[in-house]
Amino acid sequence: MKLINRRKFIQQAGVLAGSPLVPDRIKAGGKVMTVNGPIPSSDLGLALSHEHIMVDFIGSGAVSRSRYEAEEVFNAALPKLISARRAGCKSLFECTPAYLGRDVDLLKRLSAASNLHLITNTGYYGAAAEKYFPAHVYKETAKELAQRWIHEWSTGIDGTGVKPGFIKTGVDTFPLTAAQQKVIEAAAITHLATGLTIGIHTGNGAAAMEELQIIKRQGVSANAWIWIHAQNEKDREFHIRAAREGAWVEYDNVNAKSKQQHIDFVVDMKNARLLDHVLISQDSGWYHVGEKNGGNYNGYDFIFSEFIPALRDAGLTGEEINRIFIHNPANAFSVRIRKV
């Protein structure tokens, strides 16, 4: 299939930039917090809910802005972001947390230069054997950790005035460690104070269910929680269960190898009448701090050039595709307190 035909498929689905859209499925009055301030949820447009621009994998004890040249990262990232914008993307959720390479000054520059809404996060990432937890995670209570993240929401990140648009945490064990449990509890406390949605990098369905129980014990609704990397759990009954609870089930890392598997996941959710709970993204990018010229920086275009046309071929309608890429992100990331 030639690119021009793919573009026609996308246009028929109603997701190209400038295509008419009635936001009937977007909750009225909602706001999403971008690096440039709040916007109406209905202005989010077609959104990629999980991507990265820069990541530093050295670990929390050594991560530092002195390890990279911001201008080099800017020059590497900007063409990729512009390409996504031209393909139809309007908003991108940048999921790199603190102590893993978050740089909100860089994100503000890239947002202005690319004409994309960029959204950053607060929270700590506890996967990878907790390599990216700062030392104070093990000393402070959940309430004390939450106060750090609430402060970022109240006053801005690192003195910049840039506020987070969601909470990002991560686990990779089951059962969860004590530190991971504490961080998820802190995320729930933060949600109740800020209305920020909680996104958790999760290894398997059992861990996802444990996370859900922790936030519900704190009085937070499942609708405030995104199961990141749900595709890693092959037992689809876990996906169905989470969505029926009201959670957001995110299938990310969409690429050429995973395309059919992701289509199958989406079709399953459609058949279960749960498309209102599905998020799709690529988990792509990114500039690798410490590698020459940032290493291999993958772009953000696969969803537009390959995946959306494949969804059409699989029988999804334009309205259903809009639901996944426009309505669902707007509702998932709308800043509002959601209690049990």
Side-chain angles (χ1 to χ4, degrees):
M1 185 183 293
K2 295 180 180 179
L3 181 59
I4 185 67
N5 289 333
R6 292 182 183 131
R7 189 173 181 84
K8 285 181 180 178
F9 269 115
I10 298 171
Q11 195 166 25
Q12 290 166 4
V15 294
L16 276 181
S19 62
L21 172 69
V22 178
D24 56 324
R25 288 182 174 270
I26 298 175
K27 295 183 185 300
K31 300 285 186 181
V32 172
M33 182 61 69
T34 77
V35 296
N36 293 308
I39 62 170
S41 300
S42 56
D43 287 354
L44 197 66
L46 193 154
L48 297 175
S49 57
H50 190 109
E51 309 294 341
H52 295 275
I53 289 171
M54 180 181 70
V55 173
D56 188 348
F57 291 117
I58 196 170
S60 63
V63 68
S64 168
R65 293 193 180 186
S66 66
R67 285 177 37 79
Y68 61 90
E69 294 291 338
E71 194 67 23
E72 182 175 290
V73 183
F74 178 88
N75 291 334
L78 184 59
K80 310 292 188 182
L81 295 172
I82 289 175
S83 181
R85 184 69 181 93
R86 289 174 176 167
C89 183
K90 191 173 179 182
S91 301
L92 183 148
F93 288 82
E94 212 289 335
C95 291
T96 305
Y99 300 97
L100 244 167
R102 183 185 64 175
D103 184 335
V104 298
D105 289 320
L106 177 64
L107 296 183
K108 276 185 68 72
R109 287 186 62 200
L110 287 167
S111 177
S114 65
N115 194 30
L116 275 170
H117 295 308
L118 297 181
I119 299 94
T120 190
N121 62 85
T122 192
Y124 297 153
Y125 181 84
E130 302 176 3
K131 179 180 179 180
Y132 306 105
F133 271 169
H136 60 255
V137 165
Y138 302 99
K139 301 174 183 177
E140 296 182 356
T141 66
K143 290 183 179 179
E144 289 170 330
L145 293 175
Q147 283 306 310
R148 292 177 178 268
W149 305 343
I150 294 167
H151 182 73
E152 289 194 331
W153 168 252
S154 300
T155 65
I157 296 168
D158 298 334
T160 63
V162 174
K163 295 184 177 183
F166 63 105
I167 304 161
K168 170 69 182 295
T169 69
V171 305
D172 59 0
T173 63
F174 177 77
L176 305 184
T177 68
Q180 291 169 350
Q181 291 175 3
K182 180 165 55 175
V183 165
I184 293 170
E185 183 180 341
I189 294 168
T190 303
H191 170 79
L192 292 173
T194 66
L196 294 175
T197 300
I198 304 165
I200 307 179
H201 166 119
T202 305
N204 59 53
M209 294 303 106
E210 185 177 357
E211 295 162 12
L212 183 55
Q213 291 307 308
I214 291 171
I215 68 168
K216 287 171 67 176
R217 283 199 300 269
Q218 293 295 316
V220 176
S221 167
N223 189 245
W225 168 63
I226 300 172
W227 177 0
I228 295 173
H229 309 322
Q231 75 278 355
N232 290 340
E233 174 54 69
K234 307 310 179 190
D235 184 347
R236 299 174 191 182
E237 288 303 313
F238 279 108
H239 306 165
I240 300 295
R241 177 179 170 186
R244 285 180 175 160
E245 289 265 4
W248 301 96
V249 179
E250 180 183 288
Y251 303 121
D252 48 64
N253 196 28
V254 175
N255 56 55
K257 291 183 178 179
S258 71
K259 181 174 74 171
Q260 188 57 53
Q261 178 193 64
H262 281 76
I263 290 169
D264 292 344
F265 285 143
V266 173
V267 170
D268 278 353
M269 295 296 264
K270 173 182 175 174
N271 291 339
R273 301 180 182 274
L274 291 169
L275 276 185
D276 282 337
H277 297 273
V278 172
L279 298 171
I280 298 283
S281 206
Q282 295 155 131
D283 195 11
S284 192
W286 49 75
Y287 184 98
H288 292 74
V289 175
E291 294 187 21
K292 185 177 181 180
N293 299 319
N296 183 30
Y297 196 131
N298 296 309
Y300 308 104
D301 293 350
F302 184 83
I303 274 179
F304 308 101
S305 64
E306 301 288 343
F307 193 70
I308 287 175
L311 288 176
R312 287 286 294 192
D313 289 343
L316 269 76
T317 67
E319 185 279 330
E320 289 168 335
I321 293 171
N322 280 339
R323 200 186 311 180
I324 293 169
F325 290 101
I326 299 176
H327 303 133
N328 290 357
N331 291 327
F333 289 97
S334 181
V335 179
R336 66 189 189 281
I337 295 171
R338 284 151 280 179
K339 297 181 179 180
V340 171

